[in-house]
């Protein structure tokens, strides 16, 4: 390589390093949330491995040999504007639109992907952005809890470990698949080997999940190192960085700073929790089901309480170390209503809590359910509470929604609910019925959490 | 080693080329260059794109911008509604116009079914000049010898002028080892601004000796009988037909998805749409190459506009405004489809910028334009050259609005879409997009390119690139109106052959 080539490479390296720093600044909050959740996500370690795989894919990207050195600064800017605006809009809009389901779908990760592509186009050119888009999109997808939930339900465990390993390496495989076909094959082989080791570990250790994921992570990391060892042996140019793009650094800094500020506000916008910690709700009466997964406990029980219009209520609590961990679990879809019903929704504020209320009425049987949802910080972590009060026509017994622990189906159902809810909500009540507040206050008093 | 380096300097290489291809005298060169750059501006200043906007156009644009700004400041919903309604109306008008021309083109194609070429002796053939502008075409200039050698035309009646910028060392170096045919010579165009293809062509036209003139790009592969077919068509056509456009097609259509879409685009345009326009007697925006023109008429209308970056489209309109006609011949020239996204955007943005330049030039005297082109011609030129880039650019905005509308249903967006506009726009979007896809499918079927059916069905994805190119062209029209975005050639996996 000539001295000039080296100089170009150094600039490219500097530009690439700058790009990584800028993206990390712009999306620091989302990245921090992801890393914080990695211990309790449905697939531990995947959320950590996937960004690493993305970084390696970006680092190893190069212009295919047959591609002309056509660069076009005007196109770079034009292509960066729509994803940037869309990404910012998603970060801003996501929490408002999704409410407490925000942490299930994590639209900020899609926003992160779009902002990263926009910044790549601005800093390193549209050609690099187009090449990087696959890896970045795969990373956003892999880190999304609703996708991981689908895989987390796979049984047996060995298959789940294999799927998780492949998922974790997806950004690397799709990113290098075309430009480095032999390495992509090597990586897939490495992942398969890791999955096999993981499956073996899962079958012989008392903690199969942790052992499996550890083995898979190690295998993925090994594949990265093999890749890193092989890449320098061939002539390469990291990124064909034009010097003129460095002049855009002021614009990029402003953009990244603004996005970062907005991103920092995401958790604050999306969570409606009380200011002071409360004692956690504990099971009373007949506990009907208990689901425990790493870091999160879901419990369902029916309590007898002096509530209007019924003297019984169904309570489902989801308790985890953080709001993100608790809200990731798709409890909404786990509650299966006896009849297909169309809810009316409203929000009440009671004792410092913002409570979302959904009113379900069955036109066929006359049953009526009120579902109260809220979240609060407790000594045991963050707890999400779903309270269902049922009333029935005279003479009929009470019917509560059932809880189905079918994670894959539930994740899919939640996704479709999310899409469909915009259409099937029967309406939003601006002023809640008076008895709603009374029911809630009675419950909180009886539960001893006031 | 030093001697070799000196011998290989750009200056030496140019001298060696001149030794093989003697250049005209300096005075003749200077005169030709002056005419190439300023000829049209002097004879028909109103037709020159040297100035993008004339006085009243600048005032009209300023007033429009001011009214819009004021409207958005005081009555944003009403202004947005009016603007969106106008855009929807423009979409519908463009859709109807294209459908009508396409339907006519389908019928016109039936008349283009290849007729057997009548026997013509070499003596009765006119002298033909082929202009080959080549700027930084080192990758493809080697194919030129092969293509020229394949042409079926008597060498003593053929003149090929290779137009190379005198400071284009890459192309000069690539030409030096080539054994060019006896009828081909290299003309070195003096280095000057604007560095555009029409300027080079005007320079070549000054030295052309042919009765008929055509242009080929360096990577073109014309059908061997094309020149004879053009001569035959000129004889059969009336005296007013002074220009014939051959069909352009790509030889690397299967290289990737972009080349497939581009081929569908070209097929629809050249195989169906242009015959439709010609059949109506409307102005035909000529393709960049393979347009065969009577040299005398070309000189009479002022040649190509060196400041217009789609000088071919401009020339097609200028011919009709001068009372002349353009026909279509059923002969194919194979070109290289742009296979790289960025390269494609640059090329398409130049075309869009040129279209807008062309419309702005011809609309300087709208009443005269209406009189010379007739109402249908006026509308056709406006929708084809003026509205196409605008609507392609607005597409980005409308898609974004649609996505936001579906996902977020914000009330503010709903306010600027009054119910009639929503229904009309939705119908236009649905039928318009479906029509374009359907038309593309028919064009592929008509030209026996069934393998492009998938590309035709996914054609709307191609419009995203078009939208990017349109935005870029709008920006460049303001910032660098006469800047020629050079398209890189030689990217096809299999070159012409």
């Amino acid at each position: 390589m000539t001295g000039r080539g080296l100089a170009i490479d150094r600039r490219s390296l500097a530009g690439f390093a700058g790009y990584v720093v800028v993206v990390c600044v712009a999306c620091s909050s989302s990245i921090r949330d992801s890393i914080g959740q990695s211990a309790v996500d449905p697939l531990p370690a995947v959320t950590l491995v996937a960004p690493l795989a993305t970084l390696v894919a970006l680092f190893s990207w190069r212009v295919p040999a047959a591609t002309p050195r056509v660069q076009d600064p005007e196109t770079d800017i034009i292509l960066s504007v729509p994803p940037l605006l869309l990404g910012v809009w998603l970060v801003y809009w996501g929490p408002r639109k999704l409410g407490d389901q925000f942490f299930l779908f994590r639209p900020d990760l899609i926003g992160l992907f779009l902002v990263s592509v926009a910044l790549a186009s601005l800093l390193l050119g549209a050609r690099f952005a187009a090449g990087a888009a696959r890896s970045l999109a795969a990373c956003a997808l892999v880190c999304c809890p609703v996708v991981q939930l689908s895989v987390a339900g796979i049984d047996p465990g060995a298959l789940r470990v294999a799927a998780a390993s492949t998922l974790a390496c997806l950004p690397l495989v799709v990113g290098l698949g075309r430009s480095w076909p032999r390495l992509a094959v090597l990586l897939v082989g490495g992942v398969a080997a890791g999955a096999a080791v993981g499956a073996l570990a899962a079958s012989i250790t008392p903690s199969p999940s942790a052992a499996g994921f550890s083995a898979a992570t190690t295998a993925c990391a090994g594949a990265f190192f093999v890749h890193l060892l092989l890449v320098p042996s061939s002539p390469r140019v990291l990124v064909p960085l034009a010097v003129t793009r460095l002049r855009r650094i002021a614009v990029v800094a402003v953009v990244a700073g603004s996005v970062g500020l907005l991103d920092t506000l995401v958790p604050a916008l999306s969570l409606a929790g009380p200011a002071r910690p409360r004692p956690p709700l504990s099971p009373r009466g007949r506990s009907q089901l208990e689901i425990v997964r790493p870091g999160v406990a879901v419990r369902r029980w029916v309590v007898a309480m002096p509530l209007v219009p019924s003297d019984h209520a169904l309570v489902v609590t989801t308790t985890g170390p953080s709001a993100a961990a608790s809200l990731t679990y798709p409890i909404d879809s786990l509650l299966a209503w006896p009849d297909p019903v169309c809810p009316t929704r409203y929000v009440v504020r009671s004792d410092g809590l913002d409570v979302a209320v959904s009113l379900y009425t069955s036109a066929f049987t006359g049953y009526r359910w009120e579902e109260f949802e809220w979240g609060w910080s407790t000594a045991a972590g963050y707890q999400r509470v779903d309270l269902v009060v049922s009333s029935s026509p005279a003479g009929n017994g009470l019917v509560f929604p059932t809880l189905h622990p079918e994670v894959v189906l539930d994740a899919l159902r939640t996704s479709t609910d999310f899409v469909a809810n915009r259409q099937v909500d029967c309406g939003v009540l601006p002023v809640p019925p008076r008895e709603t507040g009374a029911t809630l206050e009675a419950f909180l008093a009886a539960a001893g959490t006031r | 080693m030093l001697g070799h380096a000196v011998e290989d300097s750009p200056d030496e290489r140019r001298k060696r080329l001149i030794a093989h291809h003697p250049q005209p005298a300096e005075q003749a060169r200077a005169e030709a260059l002056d005419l190439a750059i300023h000829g049209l501006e002097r004879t028909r200043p109103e037709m020159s794109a040297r100035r993008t906007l004339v006085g009243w156009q600048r005032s009209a644009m300023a007033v429009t911008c001011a009214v819009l700004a004021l409207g958005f400041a005081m009555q944003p919903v009403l202004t947005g509604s009016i603007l969106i309604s106008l855009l929807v109306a423009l979409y519908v008008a463009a859709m109807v116009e294209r459908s009508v021309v396409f339907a006519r083109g389908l019928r016109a194609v039936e008349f283009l079914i290849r007729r057997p070429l009548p026997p013509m002796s070499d003596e009765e053939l006119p002298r033909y000049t082929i202009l080959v502008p080549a700027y930084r075409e080192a990758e493809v200039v080697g194919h030129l010898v092969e293509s020229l050698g394949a042409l079926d035309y008597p060498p003593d009646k053929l003149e090929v002028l290779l137009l190379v910028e005198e400071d284009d060392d890459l192309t000069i170096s690539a030409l030096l080892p080539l054994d060019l045919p006896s009828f081909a010579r290299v003309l070195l165009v003096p280095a000057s601004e604007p560095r555009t293809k029409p300027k080079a062509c005007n320079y070549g036209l000054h030295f052309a000796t042919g009765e008929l003139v055509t242009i080929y790009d360096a990577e073109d592969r014309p059908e061997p009988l094309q020149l004879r077919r053009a001569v035959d068509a000129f004889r059969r056509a009336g005296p007013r037909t002074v220009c014939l456009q051959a069909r352009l097609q790509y030889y690397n259509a299967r290289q990737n998805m972009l080349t497939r879409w581009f081929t569908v685009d070209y097929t629809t345009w050249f195989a169906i749409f242009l015959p439709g326009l010609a059949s109506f007697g409307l102005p035909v925006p000529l393709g960049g190459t393979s347009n065969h023109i009577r040299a005398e008429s070309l000189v009479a209308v002022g040649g190509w506009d060196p400041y217009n970056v789609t000088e071919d489209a401009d020339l097609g309109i200028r011919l009709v405004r001068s009372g002349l006609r353009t026909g279509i011949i059923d002969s194919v020239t194979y070109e290289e489809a742009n296979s790289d996204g960025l390269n494609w955007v640059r090329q398409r943005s130049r075309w869009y910028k040129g279209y807008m330049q062309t419309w702005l030039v011809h609309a300087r005297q709208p009443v005269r334009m209406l009189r010379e082109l007739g109402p249908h011609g006026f509308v056709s030129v406006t929708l084809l050259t003026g509205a196409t880039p605008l609507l392609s650019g607005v597409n980005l905005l409308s898609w974004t609005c649609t996505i936001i509308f579906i996902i977020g249903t914000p009330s503010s967006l709903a306010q600027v879409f009054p119910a009639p506009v929503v229904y009309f726009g939705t119908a236009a979007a649905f039928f318009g997009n479906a029509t374009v896809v359907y038309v593309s499918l028919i064009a592929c079927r008509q030209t026996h390119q069934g393998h492009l059916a998938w590309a035709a069905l996914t054609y709307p994805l191609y419009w995203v690139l078009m939208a990017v190119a349109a935005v870029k062209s709008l920006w460049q029209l303001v910032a660098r109106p006469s800047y020629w975005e050079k398209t890189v050639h030689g990217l096809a996996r299999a070159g012409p052959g």
Side-chain angles (χ1 to χ4, degrees):
Chain A
M1 184 179 281
T2 63
R4 182 177 162 74
L6 277 174
I8 290 170
D9 248 356
R10 278 192 202 126
R11 278 208 302 271
S12 302
L13 199 57
F16 179 72
Y19 165 70
V20 173
V21 170
V22 165
V23 168
C24 288
V25 167
C27 309
S28 57
S29 181
S30 291
I31 293 171
R32 205 171 47 243
D33 276 342
S34 293
I35 292 172
Q37 259 184 271
S38 60
V40 291
D41 260 350
L43 298 175
V46 170
T47 313
L48 282 178
V49 176
L52 273 177
T54 308
L55 206 60
V56 176
L58 298 186
F59 183 78
S60 312
W61 182 86
R62 67 172 197 173
V63 183
T67 309
R69 288 302 176 89
V70 177
Q71 298 289 332
D72 192 49
E74 288 168 350
T75 307
D76 295 346
I77 294 172
I78 293 167
L79 285 178
S80 69
V81 173
L84 187 67
L85 293 179
L86 198 59
V88 167
W89 183 69
L90 266 178
V91 168
Y92 173 78
W93 160 88
R96 284 168 172 75
K97 185 74 183 175
L98 294 173
D100 56 7
Q101 290 208 6
F102 172 81
F103 281 104
L104 179 62
F105 292 97
R106 291 293 302 272
D108 60 324
L109 291 173
I110 307 297
L112 185 150
F113 153 68
L114 291 167
V115 169
S116 304
V117 169
L119 290 171
S121 184
L122 269 179
L123 264 174
L124 303 169
R127 195 177 295 283
F128 175 78
R134 287 192 301 263
S135 297
L136 292 167
C139 183
L141 190 74
V142 164
C143 291
C144 187
V146 76
V147 174
Q148 292 189 22
L149 274 166
S150 306
V151 177
I154 296 175
D155 210 29
L159 195 60
R160 182 167 65 244
V161 170
S165 306
T166 312
L167 199 64
C169 265
L170 194 65
L172 189 57
V173 174
V174 300
L176 300 180
R178 290 177 68 184
S179 57
W180 293 88
R182 275 186 297 178
L183 275 178
V185 169
L186 187 73
L187 283 170
V188 173
V191 170
V197 174
L200 184 66
S203 63
I204 58 175
T205 58
S207 177
S209 179
F213 287 128
S214 301
T217 311
T218 310
C220 293
F224 298 161
F225 283 121
V226 170
H227 175 75
L228 287 175
L229 284 174
L230 286 179
V231 169
S233 64
S234 59
R236 71 204 165 99
V237 175
L238 276 174
V239 180
L241 178 72
V243 186
T244 49
R245 293 204 177 87
L246 294 176
R247 292 179 194 154
R248 293 182 197 158
I249 204 74
V251 178
V252 171
V254 171
V255 167
S258 310
V259 174
L261 193 65
L262 206 58
D263 193 43
T264 310
L265 298 174
V266 166
L269 289 169
S270 63
L271 297 178
R276 59 185 168 82
R278 316 247 177 167
L281 271 182
S282 302
R284 295 179 180 202
R286 193 157 41 95
S287 180
Q288 292 188 334
L289 190 70
E290 187 168 285
I291 306 167
V292 179
R293 64 185 183 88
V296 180
V298 181
R299 292 190 176 84
R300 175 190 189 272
W301 71 96
V302 176
V303 289
M305 286 183 175
L307 300 175
V308 178
S310 163
D311 58 356
H312 281 76
L314 170 76
V315 183
V316 181
T317 56
T318 312
T319 312
S322 65
S326 301
L327 296 177
T328 299
Y329 205 74
I331 199 70
D332 273 345
S333 65
L334 296 186
L335 290 172
W337 301 93
D339 286 333
V341 287
C342 176
T344 299
R345 298 187 194 278
Y346 48 92
V347 176
V348 294
R349 188 162 180 82
S350 174
D351 193 27
L353 289 172
D354 278 328
V355 180
V357 186
S358 303
L359 180 64
Y360 296 84
T361 309
S362 170
F364 302 107
T365 59
Y367 281 110
R368 189 166 174 273
W369 300 275
E370 276 177 289
E371 184 192 13
F372 303 81
E373 302 170 66
W374 70 90
W376 51 22
S377 298
T378 70
Y382 190 90
Q383 189 171 55
R384 175 190 162 144
V385 182
D386 285 70
L387 167 70
V388 180
V389 180
S390 169
S391 60
S392 62
N396 293 343
L398 290 175
V399 177
F400 286 114
T402 52
L403 194 61
H404 296 298
E406 298 162 350
V407 181
V408 178
L409 284 178
D410 291 331
L412 289 173
R413 200 180 303 145
T414 307
S415 307
T416 52
D417 278 356
F418 165 64
V419 174
N421 270 345
R422 285 180 57 254
Q423 320 294 335
V424 299
D425 274 5
C426 285
V428 176
L429 291 182
V431 181
R434 193 184 303 164
E435 67 270 19
T436 302
T439 304
L440 188 65
E441 294 206 0
F443 172 78
L444 292 174
T449 57
R450 298 196 66 175
Chain B
M1 199 61 191
L2 187 65
H4 182 71
V6 169
E7 192 182 86
D8 269 0
S9 71
D11 202 35
E12 278 300 316
R13 280 193 285 273
R14 193 165 56 245
K15 281 179 184 165
R16 278 166 56 199
L17 187 82
I18 292 172
H20 281 91
H21 301 276
Q23 300 298 302
E26 278 307 311
Q27 193 182 347
R29 293 185 76 209
E31 189 185 337
L33 183 68
D34 181 60
L35 278 175
I37 298 173
H38 303 295
L40 182 70
E41 200 184 347
R42 286 200 195 107
T43 54
R44 305 179 75 175
E46 78 282 3
M47 291 290 176
S48 168
R50 183 163 193 180
R51 281 180 305 158
T52 306
L53 299 172
V54 292
W56 76 264
Q57 286 175 319
R58 216 173 287 130
S59 307
M61 200 151 283
V63 168
T64 307
C65 290
V67 167
L68 278 177
L70 205 65
F72 276 115
M74 298 179 71
Q75 291 282 345
V77 172
L78 180 67
T79 311
S81 299
I82 292 172
L83 199 61
I84 286 166
S85 306
L86 287 175
L87 284 172
V88 169
L90 198 59
Y91 264 112
V92 173
M95 190 179 81
V96 170
E97 162 72 8
R98 288 204 171 217
S99 302
V100 169
V101 173
F102 187 84
R104 182 65 169 253
L106 278 177
R107 287 200 295 276
V109 164
E110 293 166 15
F111 296 103
L112 282 178
I113 289 172
R114 183 162 298 229
R115 303 155 192 252
L117 195 62
M120 282 183 279
S121 66
D122 287 357
E123 288 72 32
E124 59 183 312
L125 290 172
R127 187 160 173 78
Y128 226 116
T129 297
I130 299 175
L131 301 176
V132 185
Y135 181 55
R136 292 185 191 162
E137 298 284 14
E139 296 89 354
V140 289
V141 83
H143 296 294
L144 195 63
V145 180
E146 195 183 334
S147 304
L148 295 177
L151 284 174
D152 182 358
Y153 209 79
D156 59 320
K157 298 227 168 160
L158 192 59
E159 176 187 50
V160 175
L161 298 179
L162 267 163
L163 308 169
V164 180
E165 298 277 332
E166 69 178 354
D167 57 352
D168 180 9
D169 185 50
L170 285 175
T171 312
I172 290 174
S173 302
L175 279 171
L176 275 174
L178 295 183
D179 188 16
L180 291 174
S182 58
F183 51 79
R185 68 186 172 112
V186 178
L187 269 182
L188 290 177
V189 183
S192 58
E193 295 296 332
R195 209 168 277 262
T196 59
K197 177 177 163 183
K199 184 200 73 179
C201 288
N202 280 340
Y203 184 82
L205 182 64
H206 187 79
F207 298 106
T209 56
E211 185 184 326
L212 298 175
V213 175
T214 190
I215 301 176
Y216 290 129
D217 282 343
E219 88 282 7
D220 281 2
R221 199 182 63 184
E223 181 198 357
L225 284 174
Q226 189 173 103
L227 302 186
R228 285 178 183 269
R229 284 193 187 283
V231 171
D232 175 52
F234 271 124
R235 282 183 185 164
R236 282 190 285 107
R240 282 178 58 212
T241 302
V242 298
C243 178
L244 294 168
Q245 173 69 57
R247 181 151 71 89
L248 303 183
Q249 188 60 281
Y250 291 131
Y251 54 73
N252 60 328
R254 293 173 192 255
Q255 187 175 342
N256 58 31
M257 205 59 203
L258 180 59
T259 58
R260 286 189 178 92
W261 282 328
F262 205 179
T263 308
V264 172
D265 188 5
Y266 247 41
T267 300
T268 312
W269 182 255
F270 282 101
I272 313 286
F273 199 75
L274 291 194
L277 286 176
S279 170
F280 269 124
L282 295 170
V284 175
L286 300 173
T289 79
S290 307
N291 31 61
H292 303 257
I293 316 174
R294 292 185 195 279
E296 192 185 357
S297 306
L298 182 56
V299 172
V301 298
W304 293 278
D305 182 354
Y307 291 98
N308 192 317
V309 292
T310 48
E311 76 294 342
D312 31 31
D314 171 65
L315 180 63
I317 297 168
R318 199 153 14 104
L319 287 174
V320 176
R321 291 189 68 174
S322 304
L324 304 170
R325 289 195 63 162
T326 298
I328 307 292
I329 51 169
D330 186 24
S331 177
V332 179
T333 298
Y334 286 93
E335 293 193 306
E336 180 192 344
N338 211 325
S339 56
D340 180 72
L342 274 181
N343 204 23
W344 186 95
V345 166
R346 285 158 60 103
Q347 184 185 44
R348 184 53 62 108
S349 71
R350 173 166 59 79
W351 293 354
Y352 279 162
K353 182 173 70 174
Y355 272 12
M356 287 187 284
Q357 268 186 324
T358 301
W359 185 78
L360 288 170
V361 163
H362 287 276
R364 282 172 185 171
Q365 295 167 316
V367 177
R368 188 177 151 196
M369 180 184 170
L370 180 65
R371 197 173 60 241
E372 289 174 351
L373 293 178
H376 195 179
F378 182 88
V379 170
S380 172
V381 166
T382 300
L383 291 176
L384 269 182
T385 60
T388 299
L390 182 71
L391 292 179
S392 292
V394 169
N395 267 342
L396 264 190
L397 192 67
S398 57
W399 294 328
T400 308
C401 284
T402 306
I403 291 170
I404 292 174
F405 198 80
I406 290 171
I407 298 177
T409 55
S411 57
S412 54
L413 200 60
Q415 283 175 346
V416 294
F417 279 96
V421 176
V422 168
Y423 294 129
F424 212 48
T426 308
F430 181 77
F431 288 110
N433 291 347
T435 304
V436 174
V437 170
Y438 182 62
V439 156
S440 309
L441 278 170
I442 292 177
C444 295
R445 175 81 182 82
Q446 194 83 15
T447 51
H448 309 289
Q449 298 180 97
H451 64 278
L452 294 174
W454 278 112
L457 287 169
T458 54
Y459 200 49
L461 296 173
Y462 179 63
W463 300 338
V464 178
L465 279 177
M466 284 189 180
V468 174
V471 174
K472 180 173 156 66
S473 70
L474 278 167
W475 164 247
Q476 274 209 356
L477 184 70
V478 178
R480 298 188 287 177
S482 291
Y483 174 69
W484 188 277
E485 286 275 17
K486 175 82 183 91
T487 307
V488 178
H489 290 121
L491 308 179
R493 280 201 204 107

